[in-house]
Structure formats: C-alpha cells, structure tokens
Amino acid sequence: MTVLITGGAGYIGSHMVLALRDAGEPIVVLDDLSTGFREAVPADVPLVVGDVADRALVMKTVAAHNVEAVVHFAARISAPESVRDPFGYYAANTAKTSALLEALTAAGVRRVIFSSTAAVYGLAPPTPTSETAPTDPASPYGASKLMSERILRDGAAAHDLAYVVLRYFNVAGADHRLRAGQRSPGASNLITLATRAALGLNEGLSIFGTDLPTPDGTGVRDYIHVSDLAEAHVAALRHLRAGGDSQTLNCGYGWGYSVREVVEAVRRVSERNFPVAEKPRRAGDPYVSVADASLIRETLGWRPKRADLDLIVGDALRWEEFWWTNEARRPRLARGRA
Ligand code: UD1
C-alpha cells in the first residue's frame, strides 16, 4: 500500500518523501513542477508530473500504485502574494483541492493528510493560539486554506474518509544530512532570506514592520524545523491507520521569536554580520503567530526533536551554503531575486 505525496518535489513535501522513504514506506509523488524541482525527488521514488486537479491522472495513479493514503502539500504559499493574486490562490489551493478530494474519494482512498496554515487565524488571534480560536484569515492565502479544510470536512462526512489537517506555523531549516532543503531561488521566508544575507547571496535583509504591538516592534513567529514537521505527518498517518478519528491540529512548538531575534540568531550562528533595512509592514501579516501546541502532542504523541532556533538556523545556513556554492545554480538565484 502506497502513500501519494502531492507537492513532493517542493520544500516541505521533499522532507516528507525522505521521512517515509527512511521508514521503508512505498511512496509516489504527484507534482506539476511549477515551483518544485525534479531533483528534489530521489531517483528511486516514482514521480508523476501533472496536476492534482486532473481527475483521470489522479485515478490512474491511485490504481497503478495501490494508493492507500494521500498527503496533500501541493499549493501556493505566500500570504503577501495572495493579496495581489486572490483568484490565482483560490484556483490553485481551493478549487484544485476540491477536485483532488473528489477524485480520491471516487478512487476509494480513505485517508488524507492536509497542509493547512496558522494563517487561518488572522491578524491578531489570542496567543498562544489553540485550534478552537476563531478563524478569520487576513489574506486570500489563509482563506483559501480554510475553505479547503471545510471541503475536506464535508467530504469526510459524506464519504468513508478520515483526515488530519495540520495547521503549520513557520517552517524553516533543512534536512540535517543536506539531502533536502529550500531550493527555490524566489523563497520569501525570513530564515531563508536572513541566511542568504549572512552568506552574501543577498544584499542584506529588510525588516517588514518595526512598530507592531509586540515587545520589540517586529513580528513574532513560532519557527518549526521542517524535519520535525515531516515527522508530525508520519505520526498523523500512523493515527489514521490505527483507526483514529479526523483531527485538525496546530503544528508548532508553542513559543515564538521576533524578526530581530531571528536576525541575531543568524548573526550568532553564522558569525557574520549583514545589513538590515527597516521597512513598512506587509499587508496581511499577523503581528504574533504562536501555537498552543498541546493537542498534537496528546493526539498523535508527536515529540519534536529539533526545537531549538540555533539548530534550525544552523541547518538552514549549511543548506544554503551547500546548495548555492554550486556555481551552476548561482545565476538562478540572481534571477529569482529580480
Ligand atoms: C509563513 C509561510 C506561510 C505559512 C505561515 C504560517 C512562506 C512563504 N510563508 O508566512 O506559508 O502559512 O508562515 O504562520 O513560507 N519578514 C521580514 N523580512 C523578510 C521576510 C519576512 O521582516 O524579508 C518578517 C515578516 O513580516 C514576518 C516574519 O518575518 O513577521 C515571518 O515572515 P515569513 O517568513 O514571510 O512567513 P509568514 O508570512 O509568517
């Protein structure tokens, strides 16, 4: 019985591929390579290049590989970009998820794990934020994911389907053995950009918003190591296979760091300085996003092993250095910035 991983050629999906492959599980990846990379999928893992909304392709893949469970990562992920392109985000994230779920239930798949986001909670949720906090997304990105959660819930009520929704907080770092990491030249997340600045790959870093209602005026986030996040998915799969009920769970550590604290961590771990420019706030950016992470520990027995900012930053740094040291890739990074 095989696990289908959509978006397995992307940043988080490729770490999930490694986690399941390391556990000896049969897997197949479905990815349209719009933002993913063929080389992110190990050569011994089957890769189907195509669209998650392609019903015939999904049904064929499920049948050909005897797919038992699906982990659905494929999506667009940037809140600020979604403010500029709402229709694109609802199409890629909501409409395609609905089509995928329809095809999966028609094909008889009964277990789904879905990548959701802390962005469903909105600009100023009570913190730490538990799963019962009101949802009020501040961006089309967060709304597109919340709608997908609803579609999944309704689909599960109507069909023989159990699911785990994982609401990710801020994912960072890289596989400790450097088998996977952030390959996207246009990545916009803070730890990636700060480590690139420390390595001189980018010219400094911008801090978006220094007048927020937070202790040092900059945004606070719950940063979680991407390999811990992948292991949460493995635990979710175990839960569903054991007959566990459908769940919606936060996935974070339960504490946060400000942008300035992240900048200091990157300077400390890299032992390099880099310039920082203070810029206005970004639209749709929450001030504080920190998980109440107790439910996932209780429900899945998940125990993160890498809950340390310096370790996360260290793995991100080593990956960026390793990946972009290759001269052949450097022009791609320059283009991604443009
Ligand atoms: C990230 C994820 C999003 C996820 C969410 C969950 C990406 C692109 N976005 O969004 O998919 O759902 O976490 O919480 O991975 N910042 C700067 N300068 C920069 C970049 C960021 O100051 O150059 C600040 C932001 O204003 C924010 C913090 O750093 O306060 C984190 O931003 P970012 O890494 O972009 O992540 P989120 O927007 O939180």
Side-chain angles (χ1 to χ4, degrees):
M1 297 295 266
T2 303
V3 180
L4 170 64
I5 303 178
T6 77
Y11 169 53
I12 302 175
S14 62
H15 288 82
M16 182 63 181
V17 168
L18 290 179
L20 286 181
R21 183 167 164 269
D22 289 351
E25 295 254 6
I27 42 188
V28 56
V29 169
L30 173 60
D31 198 301
D32 66 3
L33 300 181
S34 57
T35 54
F37 295 85
R38 189 180 289 275
E39 66 263 36
V41 181
D44 59 357
V45 172
L47 167 65
V48 177
V49 178
D51 190 338
V52 297
D54 181 338
R55 189 173 199 273
L57 180 67
V58 169
M59 294 195 75
K60 192 173 121 194
T61 305
V62 168
H65 294 267
N66 199 13
V67 169
E68 157 238 358
V70 175
V71 191
H72 178 35
F73 292 100
R76 293 175 69 182
I77 60 159
S78 163
E81 184 186 56
S82 77
V83 174
R84 298 189 297 270
D85 182 19
F87 301 129
Y89 269 71
Y90 291 120
N93 293 357
T94 312
K96 286 194 183 197
T97 295
S98 184
L100 171 69
L101 291 172
E102 195 277 327
L104 293 178
T105 49
V109 173
R110 294 180 11 245
R111 296 178 186 122
V112 171
I113 299 171
F114 177 64
S115 305
S116 189
T117 169
V120 300
Y121 295 118
L123 268 191
T127 52
T129 307
S130 78
E131 291 82 355
T132 53
T135 49
D136 181 21
S139 65
Y141 165 69
S144 73
K145 287 285 187 174
L146 186 61
M147 288 180 199
S148 301
E149 287 190 10
R150 179 63 195 254
I151 292 167
L152 182 53
R153 197 175 84 201
D154 292 344
H159 298 276
D160 183 16
L161 180 73
Y163 64 83
V164 174
V165 166
L166 293 177
R167 290 178 174 165
Y168 310 162
F169 283 67
N170 285 60
V171 188
D175 175 55
H176 194 65
R177 291 160 60 190
L178 303 185
R179 296 171 299 169
Q182 180 57 267
R183 287 179 162 85
S184 174
S188 62
N189 53 302
L190 177 66
I191 290 185
T192 298
L193 293 180
T195 53
R196 286 180 188 172
L199 294 168
L201 297 165
N202 284 354
E203 284 163 27
L205 179 81
S206 299
I207 297 186
F208 298 127
T210 54
D211 59 349
L212 276 50
T214 62
D216 70 12
T218 67
V220 173
R221 296 289 185 275
D222 185 339
Y223 294 94
I224 168 178
H225 195 294
V226 62
S227 299
D228 278 340
L229 181 71
E231 284 169 13
H233 292 73
V234 176
L237 190 59
R238 207 179 302 128
H239 168 86
L240 292 177
R241 282 175 173 164
D245 55 353
S246 295
Q247 294 283 344
T248 298
L249 303 170
N250 284 341
C251 207
Y253 291 149
W255 57 84
Y257 294 96
S258 72
V259 177
R260 291 195 201 281
E261 286 172 325
V262 169
V263 168
E264 281 321 305
V266 173
R267 286 179 172 153
R268 182 168 63 240
V269 175
S270 67
E271 299 179 340
R272 297 189 201 192
N273 204 353
F274 52 90
V276 161
E278 300 192 353
K279 300 271 177 63
R281 304 173 182 188
R282 290 190 312 198
D285 247 0
Y287 311 137
V288 178
S289 176
V290 173
D292 175 336
S294 44
L295 191 59
I296 187 169
R297 290 170 179 260
E298 281 165 32
T299 313
L300 302 184
W302 174 67
R303 296 288 177 274
K305 302 189 191 100
R306 305 160 187 89
D308 178 283
L309 182 62
D310 284 17
L311 193 152
I312 296 173
V313 164
D315 282 346
L317 257 170
R318 287 191 307 116
W319 167 265
E320 293 296 329
E321 196 159 25
F322 157 75
W323 188 248
W324 299 110
T325 310
N326 183 329
E327 286 302 322
R329 295 185 189 118
R330 284 207 177 215
R332 213 169 69 193
L333 181 61
R335 277 201 305 278
R337 276 206 306 276

